[in-house]
C-alpha cells in the first residue's frame, strides 16, 4: 500500500494508512497516530534524499511513533553522479552532522551504497522486526520520480510489503495541488496561511544491532562516482565542466593583430577557514549541518548590523559583496545548495526570517514591508522557490497536453521540458524571449512523426520554468542547453531556435560543436559582420538601478499591449495569436522573478556575429526566415547571409517573427526534410568533424582535448539512414565470434567452446566437492548451469538460423556433446549431496538461493539420480535419444517443407506471386483444323512451397478450391518422416516417465507446474471446451452458409481448406477490410518502432541500435539492439533476425543466448536474446509489410524477449522465461493485446508511403473482424492441448492417426481429412510435450492482467512499473501463483484438486461466452 502525504502544520499529527497530515491545535505539540498495534510494533525506515535534517522533518516525526526508526541514506549513482564536487563535499559534511544529531535523538544514520531498489529491499529483509512503513519524500524531477516509483514497486512485490508513504512539506496550507491557480497573481489573492516548522523528534532504534555503515570520505565518493557504470561519458563530463566564459576568453575571443578585447573580471579569492570553524564549504556556498547553516542564516539576516557579532557574521560579511551579483541574489548564492540538500527546510528559513524581523520591530510585523533588505530577500526567495515547486508538482498530476511535461533540475532550479518520439535523430527546440516550450505547440508532434525524437525546453526564466534572482545572459542559457543535452538527451542534437533562442543555440554549436548535428535558425537574433575576428567582451555583468527601473516600465508596457505586439509578429496569420497564447504569456508575466528576467534585455551582448559563431558549420546550417518580421530587417539580413555565409541553406517564408507557430505545417516539413537530408552527410566519428576554418582550428583542438573519447557512430535501421544512438558509446574495432563469443569465429570454434565449458564445469565440480558454504555451493552450481547453457543455447540458435551449413553441423555436434555431459552432471552424486546440504541450510541463504537449491534438487531427482545404476544408465540413453529425436523432427521440417505445382499460372492471384516460384512444363499445341499435335510450348505455372507462412497466405488468398485443397493436404502431410520420429518420441518419453515412477510422461511434465496433474489439466480443458462449443458451432454454420451463398450451392460441405479463405472474405465483407491496406500501415521499421514505444512508455527505457562487431552476426539482415534505461544503464541485448530465408527456422521464436545473473556484488551479467521471425518483403518493396497476425506474432515473441531482458534475478537458473511451464506464455499473450489497442497502434502504425497514422475506424474494423471467429480459434487451441495431453498420456493408446481424427470430431466443429498428419510439423509437441495447455493458461492469465491492470492506461509508466517490478523482473525466482496474485489480486487463479487453474471469467467476458 502506498500513499502520498502532505505534512502541513506544526502542532498536531494524525495518521491513517492512506493519509498523513498535520492540523493546528493551539501552539503545543502533541502527536496522535491512528495506527494499529501491529503497525506501532513495527519498524519505520525513513529514506533520506534531499532532506538531510532532523529539524522540521515530518517523516521523522511520524516515524517516531513506531517501535523503532531506521533513517537511511543511499549513495545511489543516479543521485550522486549529478553532483559537482562542491556538492559532494557539502553532502559528506551534512551527513556527518546528521548522524551526530540522530544519535543525540536516540537513533542513528544508516549508510548504503548502490541502487536504492536493492538497498531498501535488503534492509527490509535485514531488519529482524517487521518493517511496516517506508517514508520517502515526493520527487518532482522526472528521473527521481522514476527511481522512487521503481523503489515503491520493488517493495510492494515483497511478500510482506511495507506501506510506502510519500510525503512533502509545502509551507502554504494547500489542501489540493489541483486547486492551485495557474497564475501567481491569483495565487497571492488566496492569502494562504504559511505553516510553521516542526521541532526535532525523539527517536528510537539506534541500539538495534544493524550494520549502520560508514560515511565515505570525499575522496571515496569521487572514486565511487568515477566507477558509475551508467555515468555520462568522461569526455562529456569534462565538456560540461568548462565554463562558457573560460572558452571564450582563452580560445575564441583572444586578441588577433591590433584588435583588443576588454576583459573585465573581478577575481576575488576569499580564503575559507577549516570546515570545523567555517560556515562555507567552497566559494560562496554555506554548508555543514543544520546548526551551522542556521547560524550562517542568522548572520546573513543581521548583515546590515554594523557591529561584528561573531566569526559567522564576519565570514558572511566578507562574502556578501561578491555573492550580490544583483540586488537580492546573494541569498540563493549563499544558501541555495544547502536548501537543495534539505539541510534546512524552506519554511524553517521563512520562520527564522520573520522571527528576526519581529525582534527588530518589538515583536510586530509591519504591513508596510520588511525593515531589513536581507529579510525581504530571504522571504521573497523561499516563497518564490515554493511557488515554482508547486507549479512543477501540479504539472505532473494535471497534464492533459498532447505531450507530457517533465521536470529537470539545473543547478537547483526547476526547468520544464518535454520529449516526443521513440526513434530517430534527436532534435531540440529552443524558444525565443518571452516564450516557452508550448510555443512549439504544433511543431513538436509533427516533427516527431517524421521519425525523429523531439525535445522542447522552457529555458530558465520563462514560461513555467523557475525564475530565480540571478543575472540572465545569453551565456547562462547556452550553458543550460549544454547541460541539458548532456544530462537529459544524452546524444548530439539538431538544434532549432527562434529569435534569441536561435542566437543561444549558435553559441552552443560554436563552443561545443560535438553536441550539435546541425543548426536551424528561425528568425534568429544576432547579426552578420563580414571579416569579424574578435570583439569586446565583458565576463561579469551586473545590473543597475536604471535596468531595474527599465524592466519595471517594460513589464507594465507589455501587459498593456501584449496582444498587439504579438499580433504584429504574425502578419500572415494573425488568427494564430489566440487567447491561449496571450493568456499564457500574461500568466508568466506575474510570476515572481519576471522583472529580473526582463532586466537582461538591457545587458544582452549579441556582438559576436552569427557568421563567426557558425564558422565551420556552413553545410549544416538552415536559415528559416519570415520575411515580414517587424523586429528586424529580414531582406537585409538574408542578403548578408547569402553574401557572407556560403553553404547556409536559406528558406524565405511569407511570415513574421515566429514562422514556426504562424506557418507550422510549412516549417515542420522543411525541418523534417532537412534532418533526413543530413542523415547521410554527418561525420562518422570525431576525426571527420567539419573543418572550422582558420579561426576555428583552436576551437577544434580544444574540443579534442576536452573530449578525447567522444565518438558518434552512424548506422542504418532497415535501410532507413539515421544515427545509432546509445546512452553509452559502442565502438568495435576487433573481430569477435557469433553472439559475441570469441570461440565462435569459425565453425570449428564450437569444439573449443564445448571443451572450455566442460573444463570450467569440471573445476567448479571439484570446488563444490569440497563442500564450501551453502551460498557458495549454489553460486557455483549456477555458474555451471550458466557455462553449459551458453553453449547449448548458442548452438540451438546457430542450428536454427545460420545460413552456413558447416556452422550448423558443428552446432549440432556441440549440442550433442554438451547434452551428454549434462547427463553426467545430472547424475553426479557429489553435486546432488551438496545441493541437499544447501537446501537443508536454507536459513543461511537468501530466499532466491534457497529456491534455487530446492529446484536443483528436484532437477537431479527428475534426472533419476535416486535410481539404480542400471536405470540411471537407461534414463541417460533415453534422454539422449529424446534430444536427438527432437533435433531430427525440427530438421525434417526445414528439409521437407513440401511443394505443390499449380498449372496454369492463372490459378494463382497476382498478389501471391511474390511468394511462389515460377515453373514451366512442355505441352502439346493442337492445330485448329486437326487433332494432330502441331508442336510444343512451355506452359507457365507456380510451385507453392508449403512452409507455414506461405501455406497460410495461399489458404487465405487463393480463390481456386482445388489449389487450396492441394496446398492444405500437402502442408498438413509433410514431412512424412516425422511420423516415425513422433512415434519413437512418444514411446521414449513414456518409458522414461515410467522408469522415473510416473504413470505417464504427461504426469512427469505437469507435476512441477501449477496444474500439478494431468487430471487437473484435462478438467480445465474440458471446462473450456464446453464453454466455447456453442459459439464455435454457430460460427461454423455461418461460414458454411456464407460459402453456400457465394458458390450458389444449397447443400455444399465446408472443408478445412475453406476456413481461412471464407473467414477472411467474411471479415472483409463485414468490415470492408483489405489485408493489403492493413499491411500498408505496418512496414517492418514502423513495427520495430512500436516495440520501442512499448519499452519507453511502460518502462522508461529505450532500444538503441548498436553496431555488430565483425564476426558477431550470422546474416546481413541481423540487427543488434541494447535495451537502455537512463538511470540503470543497459539492461540487456536483443538480436533481431526477422526476414525469411531458405534453411532458416520456419516460424517465429525467442531464443535465449545468455541469462541474467549476479556475477559479483557489483557486476551483473546482462541477458542476451534473439528474436527470430520469418517475414517476407512485399512484392514491390524491399521492406516487409506485416499482416496484422504477423504483427501480433511479433508482439507475442517480444513479450518473451522482455521477460528475459527485464529479468533481474540473482541466478541465471531463474532468469527470464526460466519459469514454471504454465506461466511462461503469460507475458507473450499479454503483449498480444498491445498489438490490437488503437492507443498503442497510433503511436507507430504509419502508412508506408504517406506517413499517415492508421485510422481509428480501420482498427475498429480489425478488432471486429478479430472477434468474428474467436470461438473457432479458441476451440482449435483446446484441441491442440488435448492432443498433446493424449499423445503423452497413459499408454497404450489407439493408433496415433485415429486419435487425431477422433479428437478432432470430439473437440472441434470441423472434419478430419484422411491422409493428413498436421502433427508431423507441430513442433510444440517437442518443446511443450504435455505442456501445450500452458498456452490456454496464459490466455486466461493475460486476459485478467489486461483487464485489471493494463486496459485503462496501457502505455502508462505506472502500468509498466507494476508489470516489471511485480512480475517480469522476478523470472522464476518466486512462486508463479504468488507473482500473479501479487500483480492483480487473488482472483486470477483458483485451487482445483490440489492444482491451480486460471479463472476464466475475464476471458469469457472478453469473448462474450457463457461460463458452464
Amino acid at each position: 500500500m502506498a500513499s502520498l502525504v502532505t505534512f502541513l502544520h506544526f502542532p498536531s499529527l494524525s495518521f491513517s494508512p492512506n493519509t498523513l497530515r498535520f492540523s493546528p491545535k493551539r501552539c503545543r505539540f502533541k502527536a496522535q497516530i491512528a495506527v494499529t498495534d501491529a503497525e506501532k510494533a513495527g519498524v519505520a525506515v525513513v529514506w533520506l534524499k534531499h532532506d538531510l535534517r532532523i529539524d522540521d522533518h515530518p517523516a521523522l516525526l511520524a516515524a517516531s511513533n513506531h517501535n523503532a526508526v531506521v533513517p537511511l541514506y543511499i549513495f545511489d549513482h543516479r543521485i550522486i553522479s549529478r553532483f559537482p564536487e562542491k556538492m559532494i563535499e557539502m553532502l559528506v559534511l551534512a551527513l556527518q552532522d546528521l548522524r551526530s544529531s540522530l544519535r543525540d535523538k536516540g537513533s542513528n544514520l544508516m549508510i548504503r551504497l548502490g541502487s536504492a531498489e536493492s538497498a531498501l529491499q535488503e534492509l527490509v529483509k535485514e531488519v529482524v522486526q517487521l518493517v511496516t512503513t517506508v517514508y520517502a519524500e515526493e520527487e518532482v524531477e522526472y528521473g527521481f520520480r522514476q527511481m522512487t516509483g521503481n523503489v515503491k514497486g520493488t517493495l510492494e512485490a515483497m511478500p510482506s510489503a511495507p506501506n510506502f508513504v510519500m510525503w512533502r512539506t509545502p509551507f502554504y496550507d494547500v489542501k489540493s495541488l489541483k486547486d492551485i491557480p495557474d497564475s501567481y497573481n491569483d495565487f497571492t489573492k488566496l492569502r494562504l496561511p504559511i505553516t510553521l516548522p516542526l521541532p526535532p523528534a525523539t527517536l528510537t532504534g539506534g541500539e538495534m544491532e544493524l550494520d549502520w555503515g560508514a560515511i565515505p570520505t570525499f575522496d571515496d565518493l569521487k572514486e565511487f562516482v568515477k566507477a558509475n557504470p551508467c555515468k555520462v561519458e568522461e569526455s562529456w563530463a569534462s565538456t560540461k565542466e568548462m565554463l562558457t566564459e573560460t572558452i571564450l576568453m582563452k580560445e575564441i575571443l583572444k586578441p588577433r593583430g591590433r584588435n583588443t578585447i576588454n576583459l573585465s573580471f573581478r577575481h576575488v579569492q576569499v580564503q575559507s577557514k577549516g570546515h570545523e570553524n567555517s560556515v562555507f564549504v567552497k566559494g560562496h556556498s554555506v554548508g555543514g549541518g543544520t546548526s551551522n547553516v542556521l547560524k550562517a542564516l542568522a548572520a546573513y539576516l543581521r548583515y546590515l548590523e554594523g557591529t561584528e557579532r561573531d566569526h559567522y557574521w564576519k565570514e558572511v560579511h566578507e562574502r556578501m559583496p561578491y555573492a550580490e551579483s544583483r540586488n537580492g541574489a546573494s541569498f540563493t548564492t549563499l544558501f541555495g545548495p544547502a536548501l537543495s540538500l534539505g539541510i534546512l527546510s524552506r519554511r524553517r528559513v521563512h520562520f527564522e526570517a520573520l522571527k528576526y524581523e519581529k525582534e527588530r520591530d518589538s515583536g510586530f510585523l509591519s504591513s508596510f514591508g520588511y525593515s531589513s533588505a536581507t529579510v525581504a530577500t530571504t522571504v521573497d526567495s523561499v516563497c518564490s522557490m515554493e511557488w515554482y515547486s508547486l507549479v512543477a508538482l501540479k504539472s505532473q498530476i494535471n497534464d492533459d497536453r498532447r505531450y507530457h511535461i517533465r521536470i529537470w533540475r539545473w543547478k537547483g532550479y526547476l526547468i520544464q521540458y518535454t520529449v516526443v518520439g521513440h526513434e530517430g535523430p534527436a532534435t531540440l527546440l529552443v524558444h525565443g524571449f518571452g516564450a516557452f516550450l508550448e510555443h512549439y505547440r504544433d511543431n513538436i508532434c509533427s516533427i516527431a512523426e517524421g521519425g525523429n525524437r523531439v525535445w522542447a525546453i522552457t529555458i530558465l526564466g520563462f514560461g513555467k520554468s523557475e525564475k530565480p534572482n540571478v543575472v540572465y545572459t545569453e551565456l547562462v542559457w547556452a550553458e543550460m542547453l549544454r547541460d541539458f543535452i548532456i544530462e537529459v538527451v544524452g546524444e548530439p542534437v539538431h538544434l532549432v531556435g527562434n529569435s534569441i533562442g536561435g542566437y543561444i543555440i549558435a553559441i552552443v554549436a560554436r563552443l561545443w560543436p560535438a553536441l550539435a548535428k546541425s543548426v536551424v535558425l528561425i528568425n534568429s537574433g544576432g547579426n552578420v559582420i563580414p571579416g569579424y575576428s574578435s570583439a569586446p567582451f565583458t565576463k561579469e555583468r551586473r545590473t543597475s538601478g536604471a535596468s531595474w527601473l527599465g524592466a519595471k516600465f517594460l513589464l507594465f508596457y507589455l501587459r498593456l499591449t501584449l496582444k498587439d505586439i504579438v499580433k504584429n509578429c504574425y502578419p500572415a496569420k494573425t488568427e494564430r495569436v489566440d487567447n491561449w497564447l496571450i493568456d499564457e504569456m500574461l500568466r508568466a508575466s506575474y510570476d515572481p522573478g519576471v522583472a529580473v528576467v526582463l532586466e537582461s534585455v538591457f545587458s544582452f551582448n549579441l556582438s559576436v556575429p552569427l557568421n563567426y559563431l557558425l564558422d565551420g558549420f556552413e553545410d549544416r546550417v538552415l536559415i528559416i526566415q519570415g520575411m515580414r518580421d517587424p523586429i528586424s530587417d529580414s531582406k537585409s539580413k538574408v542578403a548578408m547571409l547569402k553574401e557572407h555565409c556560403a553553404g547556409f541553406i536559406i528558406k524565405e517564408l511569407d511570415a513574421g517573427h515566429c514562422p514556426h507557430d504562424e506557418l507550422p505545417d510549412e516549417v515542420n516539413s522543411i525541418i523534417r526534410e532537412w534532418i533526413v537530408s543530413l542523415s547521410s552527410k554527418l561525420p562518422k566519428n570525431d576525426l571527420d568533424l567539419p573543418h572550422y576554418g582558420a579561426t576555428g582550428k583552436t576551437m577544434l583542438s580544444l574540443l579534442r582535448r576536452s573530449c578525447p573519447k567522444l565518438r558518434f557512430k552512424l548506422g542504418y535501421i532497415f535501410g532507413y539512414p539515421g544515427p545509432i544512438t546509445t546512452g553509452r558509446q559502442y565502438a568495435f574495432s576487433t573481430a569477435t565470434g557469433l553472439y559475441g563469443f570469441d570461440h565462435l569465429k569459425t565453425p570449428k570454434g564450437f569444439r573449443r567452446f564445448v571443451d572450455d565449458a566442460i573444463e570450467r564445469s569440471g573445476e567448479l565440480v571439484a570446488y563444490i566437492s569440497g563442500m564450501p558454504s551453502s551460498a557458495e555451493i549454489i553460486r557455483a552450481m549456477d555458474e555451471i548451469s550458466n557455462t553449459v547453457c551458453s553453449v547449448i543455447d548458442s548452438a540451438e540458435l546457430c542450428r536454427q538460423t545460420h545460413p552456413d551449413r558447416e556452422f550448423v553441423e558443428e552446432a549440432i555436434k556441440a549440442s550433442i556433446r554438451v547434452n551428454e555431459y549434462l547427463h553426467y552432471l545430472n547424475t553426479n552424486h557429489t553435486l546432488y549431496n551438496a545441493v541437499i546440504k544447501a537446501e537443508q541450510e536454507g536459513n543461511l541463504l537468501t530466499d532466491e538461493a534457497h529456491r534455487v537449491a530446492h529446484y536443483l534438487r528436484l532437477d537431479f531427482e527428475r534426472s533419476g539420480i535416486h535410481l539404480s545404476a542400471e536405470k540411471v544408465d537407461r534414463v541417460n540413453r533415453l534422454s539422449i535419444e529424446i534430444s536427438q529425436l527432437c533435433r531430427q523432427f525440427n530438421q525434417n521440417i526445414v528439409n521437407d517443407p513440401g511443394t505443390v505445382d499449380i498449372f496454369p499460372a492463372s490459378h494463382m492471384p497476382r498478389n501471391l506471386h511474390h511468394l511462389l516460384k515460377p515453373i514451366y512444363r512442355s505441352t502439346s499445341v493442337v492445330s485448329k483444323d486437326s487433332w494432330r499435335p502441331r508442336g510444343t510450348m512451355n506452359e507457365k505455372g507456380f510451385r507453392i512451397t508449403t512452409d507455414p507462412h506461405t501455406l497460410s497466405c495461399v489458404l487465405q488468398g487463393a480463390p481456386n478450391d482445388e489449389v487450396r485443397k492441394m496446398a492444405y493436404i500437402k502442408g498438413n502431410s509433410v514431412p512424412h518422416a516425422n511420423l516415425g520420429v513422433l512415434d519413437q518420441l512418444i514411446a521414449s518419453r513414456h518409458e522414461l516417465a515410467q522408469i522415473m515412477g510416473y504413470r505417464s510422461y504427461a504426469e512427469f511434465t505437469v507435476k512441477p507446474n501449477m496444474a500439478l496433474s494431468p487430471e487437473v489439466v484435462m478438467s480445465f480443458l474440458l471446462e473450456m471446451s464446453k464453454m466455447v462449443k456453442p459459439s464455435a458451432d454457430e460460427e461454423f454454420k455461418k461460414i458454411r452458409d456464407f460459402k453456400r451463398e457465394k458458390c450458389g450451392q444449397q447443400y455444399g460441405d465446408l472443408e478445412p481448406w475453406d476456413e481461412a479463405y471464407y473467414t477472411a472474405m467474411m471479415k472483409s465483407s463485414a468490415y470492408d477490410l483489405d489485408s493489403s491496406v492493413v499491411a500498408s500501415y505496418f512496414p517492418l521499421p514502423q513495427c520495430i518502432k512500436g516495440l520501442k514505444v512499448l519499452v519507453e512508455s511502460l518502462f522508461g527505457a529505450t532500444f538503441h541500435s548498436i553496431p555488430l562487431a565483425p564476426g558477431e552476426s550470422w546474416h546481413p539482415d541481423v540487427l543488434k539492439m541494447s535495451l537502455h534505461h537512463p538511470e540503470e544503464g543497459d539492461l540487456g541485448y536483443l538480436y533481431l533476425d526477422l526476414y525469411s530465408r531458405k534453411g532458416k527456422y520456419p516460424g517465429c521464436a525467442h531464443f535465449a543466448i545468455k541469462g541474467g545473473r549476479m556475477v559479483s556484488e557489483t557486476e551483473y551479467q546482462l541477458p542476451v536474446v534473439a528474436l527470430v521471425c520469418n517475414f517476407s518483403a512485399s512484392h514491390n518493396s524491399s521492406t516487409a509489410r506485416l499482416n496484422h497476425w504477423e504483427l501480433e506474432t511479433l508482439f507475442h515473441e517480444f513479450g518473451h524477449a522482455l521477460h528475459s531482458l527485464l529479468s533481474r534475478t540473482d541466478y541465471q537458473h531463474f532468469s527470464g522465461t526460466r519459469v514454471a511451464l504454465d506461466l511462461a506464455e503469460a507475458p507473450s499473450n499479454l503483449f498480444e493485446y498491445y498489438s490490437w489497442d488503437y492507443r498503442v497502434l497510433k503511436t507507430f502504425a504509419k502508412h508506408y508511403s504517406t506517413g499517415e497514422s492508421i485510422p481509428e475506424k480501420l482498427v475498429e474494423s480489425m478488432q471486429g473482424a478479430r472477434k468474428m471467429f474467436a470461438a473457432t480459434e479458441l476451440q482449435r487451441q483446446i484441441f491442440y492441448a488435448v492432443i498433446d495431453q493424449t499423445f503423452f498420456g497413459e499408454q497404450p493408446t489407439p493408433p496415433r492417426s485415429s486419435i487425431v481424427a477422433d479428437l478432432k470430431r470430439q473437440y472441434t466443429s470441423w472434419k478430419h481429412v484422411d491422409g493428413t498428419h498436421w502433427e508431423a510439423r507441430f513442433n510444440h509437441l517437442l518443446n511443450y510435450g504435455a505442456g501445450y495447455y500452458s498456452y490456454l493458461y496464459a490466455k486466461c492469465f493475460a486476459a485478467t492482467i489486461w483487464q485489471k491492470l493494463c486496459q485503462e492506461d496501457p502505455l502508462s509508466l505506472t502500468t509498466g512499473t507494476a508489470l516489471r517490478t511485480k512480475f517480469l523482473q522476478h523470472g522464476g525466482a518466486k512462486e508463479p501463483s504468488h507473482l500473479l496474485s501479487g500483480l492483480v489480486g487473488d482472483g486470477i487463479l483458483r485451487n482445483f484438486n490440489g492444482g491451480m487453474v486460471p479463472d476464466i471469467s475475464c476471458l469469457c467476458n472478453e469473448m462474450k461466452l457463457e461460463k458452464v
Side-chain angles (χ1 to χ4, degrees), residues 410-614:
W410 182 66
K411 296 188 176 180
Y413 308 126
L414 301 174
I415 307 296
Q416 292 201 349
Y417 73 96
T418 190
V419 58
V420 176
H422 302 272
E423 176 57 27
T427 305
L428 176 58
L429 309 180
V430 183
H431 59 79
F433 197 90
F436 27 80
L437 70 85
E438 291 89 349
H439 199 207
Y440 289 100
R441 50 189 168 170
D442 292 325
N443 310 108
I444 296 172
C445 294
S446 178
I447 296 174
E449 287 170 359
N452 306 296
R453 285 182 300 127
V454 180
W455 308 76
I457 185 172
T458 299
I459 61 178
L460 188 74
F462 296 102
K464 292 183 180 178
S465 287
E466 197 161 346
K467 302 172 182 65
N469 192 354
V470 299
V471 177
Y472 292 87
T473 70
E474 67 284 354
L475 301 182
V476 168
W477 286 317
E479 283 188 6
M480 189 203 74
L481 291 182
R482 174 202 64 191
D483 293 352
F484 182 79
I485 295 169
I486 292 173
E487 289 186 15
V488 181
V489 182
E491 64 175 288
V493 298
H494 293 281
L495 288 165
V496 180
N498 171 233
S499 190
I500 186 65
Y503 190 79
I504 296 167
I505 67 171
I507 295 175
V508 173
R510 174 67 197 202
L511 301 187
W512 305 285
L515 303 182
K517 293 179 181 175
S518 73
V519 176
V520 180
L521 303 180
I522 305 176
N523 285 69
S524 172
N527 299 308
V528 176
I529 303 177
Y532 177 89
S533 61
S534 64
F537 174 72
T538 301
K539 174 187 176 186
E540 184 169 20
R541 305 190 205 176
R542 294 198 170 219
T543 59
S544 63
S547 61
W548 176 84
L549 188 60
K552 290 291 185 181
F553 278 114
L554 179 58
L555 182 59
F556 177 74
Y557 172 75
L558 288 174
R559 287 173 179 167
L560 287 177
T561 62
L562 181 63
K563 190 164 189 176
D564 292 335
I565 293 172
V566 178
K567 278 194 171 184
N568 197 33
C569 292
Y570 287 66
K573 288 191 176 181
T574 56
E575 65 273 14
R576 291 286 296 172
V577 184
D578 52 23
N579 290 336
W580 175 86
L581 181 61
I582 298 303
D583 289 346
E584 185 56 30
M585 288 182 170
L586 284 173
R587 185 213 64 76
S589 74
Y590 289 95
D591 277 346
V594 71
V596 178
V597 182
L598 285 178
E599 287 184 38
S600 64
V601 172
F602 303 98
S603 61
F604 279 153
N605 181 358
L606 307 188
S607 60
V608 182
L610 292 172
N611 55 303
Y612 182 87
L613 291 174
L614 297 173

